[in-house]
Amino acid sequence: MRDVSGRRFGGAILALALVSVLSGVAAIGLAAVSVASVGFGPERCCPAGGPPTRPSPAPRPSATPGPTRAVGLPACIIGSWRVVSETSMVKYYSNADPFAASSSPGKSYEFRADGTGTEKWDNVTYTANSGGSTLRLQSNGSAEFTWTATGDTVTYLARTSVNLKHHWSVPEGESDATSSPNPALNEVDRYKCGATGFEESNDTGYRSVWARTSGYGFYG
Amino acid sequence: MRRGTGHLTEVGGRVGRAISRLGLAALLGLVVVGVGAPAGAAPPSAEERAAAIARPAIVIVEIRWQAWVRDTKTGEVFGGKDGYRIVSSCTGFGVHADGLLVTAGHCVDPGAEGIGRALFGIVAQELAAVGRVGDNNKAVAALLDRAVAEGPEKDSPVSREVVVHRGVRVDDRTVDDPLPAEVVHILPHSRGDVAVLKVERGRLPALEIIDGSDLPVGTPILAIGFPGSADRISDPTLEPSAKDGRISNRRTIAGVPFYEVSAASTGGMSGGPVVDQSGRVIGLVSSAPAGEPQAFNFMAASSLVAGVLRGKEIPNGLGPVDRNYRSGLKQYYAGHHKSAIEYFDAVLKASPSHQQAWEYRRLAGQTPGSSAVPSLVIALCALVAVGTGVVAVFLFMLRRTAAAGGVVGAGPGTPIGPVSGQGFGAVAGPVSGPGFGVPAGPVSGPGFGTAVGPVAGSEWAPESGPDAGPAPGQGFGAAVGSESEQGFRSEPGFGAVAPISGPASGPGLEPTSGAGPLPGPATEPEPGQRAG
């Protein structure tokens, strides 16, 4: 009887001791986990004088206007063009007003960014009717010119050099002629320029429609 | 008396078992509750954590350009009177508290690999509008070949203003804090696509940069940046997008290491950090291949960034504010809100306008959360340890008393004193915890016996010491021997004590208990003394 009760008693002690140990281990372990996970607290930082608590005033673009640059020539005009159709006023008879002549294909232009340009004729034939007769003018050659433009006008300032030959066929016969440079040309034409083409005209009845080509000023 | 003792023993056994069960159950439960997921906190994704870590250091980089484009072959200048005034935006990130940031090189590069290319694109569009372009790509290529971006004079530098925007907390609201930036260094796109900026602002949040370019394919990444148009730059509440993905490939383009990643990125995200799941920079958003329909982008390897910083002796790394913020986040996501608040408060003390610290501190304050391991749990464990220990000792004493009664009754001449003293000492001595009442004490002991150790430690030692003292020399073996006859030695539990107390190498019977390593052949129980 004593042995039995002693055993049971011993079992209780053992159980309690076990719980005590486990609890103690748990307490220590949890404390260690706590320290390990929480750490030793925030790191000390920085002497006084941190960043300002007020944001910086927003940097604005300078009050003074930014630098500027001379405006170039209209990008739309610059480039290479071929004349699709053209009606020019041609004067042949000294005692008669110029008459309208339509041209065949073969004329082209190059308007360069530096304000110079080239006009080329490649067997361009102008045809006109005057008093029931047909007059023809065939032109070959080229001419250099200077130009400028604003929003809706293009001004041909000068015809600086010319290598242009004309051949007239009129009822009275045929003849040849050449053109000469004209430093004081100053021809002002109205123009419309866009992605689809260029149209130029003036009050004399001149009107020309151009299409852009993939030469000068074209970027692929 | 014997009956009573037996009754007590019986009751003590039940109580002990009950306490044991309860204690173990409580321990298990509390450990699970204390260390497991905190109540009320949804487990965040790795991406969310990474984004939260990186967020404070991420800024919008606004670049204001004024430039003209000149065709070097024709001399044609594009841009009109005022030139092209462009505001572009990228993303950047802090690399050092002293106002140092990194973004993509092409974001601030005035050359053909930077804004020049964008300008050429604009010019190409303008030319297309007037019929001077048939194929936009060809036009850009032609311009790249023969055009330059420049300032108001021929060959003069492009005008560039860089402003870094970041949201800061002022007067309980988020405001934009625009900071003019200086471009310290540019590595063009073809050479790595990294730029270093400097702003006059201290304690700028920073990110940690991994100096490597050999991350394995499949590594999860997070590309972070501010997508969208530049007109939203000054919106201080604008939050960056975090696009997750993986490293798809490692490439070397003209000797420069790039990662190919599956994370999507759009305009404005260039220069943004690409971080791993720990919020460390492993690259930066660089570019997308033209015409690629899939989510497929390039990121500059962080080794390039690190190389630039190292080569230019530009400091980088985390500061105390960054570390405290990270610790605060860690605590917050672990549900340890009280601790998190401490860290966030430390951040806010050093950097009062720290938007994210403010926000997370607010969130942490909204819910109670828990400490890493609740103090209550620790205290409870300690209480259980002490309580059960005390009860165990009490029962032991009770038993000893009962045993003494039995011995007395057994016959004259039985050495009661040594029996009880050595019996107790045999448990308490070898265990020898550092002191009674210190919950940690028993744990530091060699094992089972330690539970009793503290109980029998400093407080009990004087009692057990004198008893135990003479025991090794004289009564220990005899006592145990005689006890064994009474069933003492045959206690299965005690039997387990012996091997534990044995290796404790003898100090067990030393009154100066606690010095575990003390050699003590004198206290080594004789073979015959070992229980069962």
Side-chain angles (χ1 to χ4, degrees), chain A residues 5 8-9 20-21 37 47 219-220, chain B residues 9-10 71 134 203 331 385 395 451:
Chain A
S5 65
R8 287 178 181 171
F9 206 55
S20 181
V21 169
S37 59
Y219 286 86
Chain B
T9 306
E10 184 68 22
D71 185 323
R203 297 176 198 173
Q331 296 305 316
L395 291 177

Side-chain angles (χ1 to χ4, degrees), chain B residues 15-216:
Chain B
V15 169
R17 281 193 290 274
I19 291 172
S20 174
R21 286 171 189 155
L22 281 173
L24 285 171
L27 268 178
L28 283 171
L30 290 172
V31 166
V32 168
V33 169
V35 182
S45 65
E47 289 79 12
E48 184 184 344
R49 287 173 184 250
I53 290 170
R55 175 63 189 93
I58 298 173
V59 299
I60 297 175
V61 180
E62 174 190 11
I63 311 100
R64 299 171 183 165
W65 304 92
Q66 184 185 18
W68 286 262
V69 171
R70 179 169 56 89
D71 185 323
T72 56
K73 282 190 176 176
T74 66
E76 185 174 5
V77 176
F78 305 96
K81 178 185 175 188
D82 296 322
Y84 296 104
R85 290 175 181 260
I86 299 172
V87 178
S88 60
S89 74
C90 281
T91 303
F93 56 96
V95 295
H96 192 268
D98 287 348
L100 289 159
L101 303 108
V102 162
T103 188
H106 73 263
C107 290
V108 292
D109 185 351
E113 294 188 60
I115 193 65
R117 191 180 188 90
L119 286 169
F120 297 159
I122 293 171
V123 171
Q125 287 181 346
E126 287 183 355
L127 292 173
V130 295
R132 293 176 64 181
V133 166
D135 180 305
N136 196 65
N137 290 332
K138 286 183 179 177
V140 172
L143 289 164
L144 283 168
D145 181 49
R146 66 193 209 206
V148 292
E150 61 188 16
E153 305 293 333
K154 185 180 177 183
D155 294 327
S156 64
V158 167
S159 168
R160 176 190 60 199
E161 287 180 48
V162 181
V163 180
V164 168
H165 294 265
R166 49 193 289 267
V168 294
R169 193 76 186 175
V170 175
D171 296 337
D172 289 337
R173 63 193 180 94
T174 304
V175 297
D176 179 34
D177 184 17
L179 301 167
E182 172 195 355
V183 178
V184 176
H185 184 71
I186 297 176
L187 204 58
H189 181 268
S190 61
R191 292 171 51 201
D193 204 17
V194 177
V196 182
L197 310 179
K198 173 86 168 69
V199 296
E200 292 302 322
R201 176 58 52 89
R203 297 176 198 173
L204 207 66
L207 293 181
E208 182 183 358
I209 299 169
I210 295 178
D211 188 0
S213 59
D214 55 353
L215 291 172

Side-chain angles (χ1 to χ4, degrees), chain A residues 11-181:
Chain A
I13 293 172
L14 180 63
L16 287 167
L18 183 63
V19 170
S20 181
V21 169
L22 291 176
S23 302
V25 169
I28 293 273
L30 292 176
V33 166
S34 179
V35 170
S37 59
V38 174
F40 295 97
E43 189 176 342
R44 285 194 174 187
C45 168
C46 320
T53 54
R54 297 277 167 192
S56 312
R60 299 289 174 204
S62 174
T64 56
T68 59
R69 194 162 179 161
V71 179
L73 292 165
C76 189
I77 299 177
I78 293 171
S80 304
W81 303 92
R82 66 179 172 82
V83 175
V84 176
S85 66
E86 182 173 291
T87 299
S88 298
M89 301 308 294
V90 178
K91 184 174 177 61
Y92 181 75
Y93 299 110
S94 59
N95 59 349
D97 291 335
F99 47 86
S102 59
S103 68
S104 67
K107 190 176 181 184
S108 62
Y109 287 92
E110 183 175 290
F111 286 79
R112 291 184 287 272
D114 62 358
T116 64
T118 301
E119 186 177 11
K120 288 183 179 176
W121 291 261
D122 184 9
N123 286 323
V124 178
T125 301
Y126 294 87
T127 304
N129 290 310
S130 175
S133 301
T134 300
L135 295 83
R136 286 191 176 83
L137 171 65
Q138 190 175 46
S139 300
N140 272 293
S142 65
E144 298 292 317
F145 61 90
T146 56
W147 67 284
T148 188
T150 60
D152 59 355
T153 60
V154 56
T155 302
Y156 297 91
L157 297 170
R159 180 167 283 172
T160 53
S161 69
V162 176
N163 180 18
L164 178 60
K165 292 179 180 176
H166 306 287
H167 180 77
W168 287 99
S169 296
V170 296
E172 291 82 5
E174 298 190 359
S175 62
D176 291 324
T178 58
S179 290
S180 301

